Amino acid sequence: MATYTRHPAESEARRPAQPRTAITRRQLEALQLAANGNTNAAIGHAMGITANTVAQLLEKTYRKLGANDRTHAASIAIRLGLIPLQAIALPDSFVTARAQGLL
């Protein structure tokens, strides 16, 4: 009877990415706010920092996660459990449509 051994590249492709170095609490806070659709200016206002500082925080976070942009970084963070799904707010229009049975 033949046995099948999975090629290492196949198993690697199925594993979620792991952060290359630890993500700081501030980086995670900024990423969670970004994942909720906030601009850098809005994130900065919420965190008490400038939009430029937010951009720098997020860029460092992208590198640590191996992400290409904020959407990719948010997806990776959710997949890794760094941002729980419950932390992502649904737009009011979606909530209303769902309550009315439209979705």
Side-chain angles (χ1 to χ4, degrees):
M1 182 160 98
T3 58
Y4 175 75
T5 304
R6 182 173 281 164
H7 188 278
E10 289 178 22
S11 57
E12 287 294 320
R14 288 188 171 88
R15 287 189 203 149
Q18 295 295 320
R20 294 178 181 145
T21 58
I23 294 171
T24 68
R25 181 187 57 78
R26 295 291 274 175
Q27 289 170 334
L28 192 56
E29 181 182 358
L31 184 57
Q32 184 170 322
L33 289 165
N36 276 289
N38 292 290
T39 63
N40 287 357
I43 295 168
H45 182 26
M47 295 178 68
I49 57 179
T50 68
N52 278 347
T53 302
V54 171
Q56 291 172 0
L57 275 174
L58 290 175
E59 284 295 327
K60 288 178 184 176
T61 307
Y62 305 160
R63 282 195 301 275
K64 288 180 179 183
L65 291 172
N68 299 319
D69 55 35
R70 69 198 303 139
T71 303
H72 192 206
S75 298
I76 292 169
I78 291 167
R79 174 86 188 262
L80 292 174
L82 300 173
I83 297 175
L85 277 177
Q86 297 79 9
I88 307 301
L90 295 174
D92 291 338
S93 59
F94 181 81
V95 174
T96 302
R98 191 169 186 189
Q100 294 173 348
L102 301 174
L103 295 176

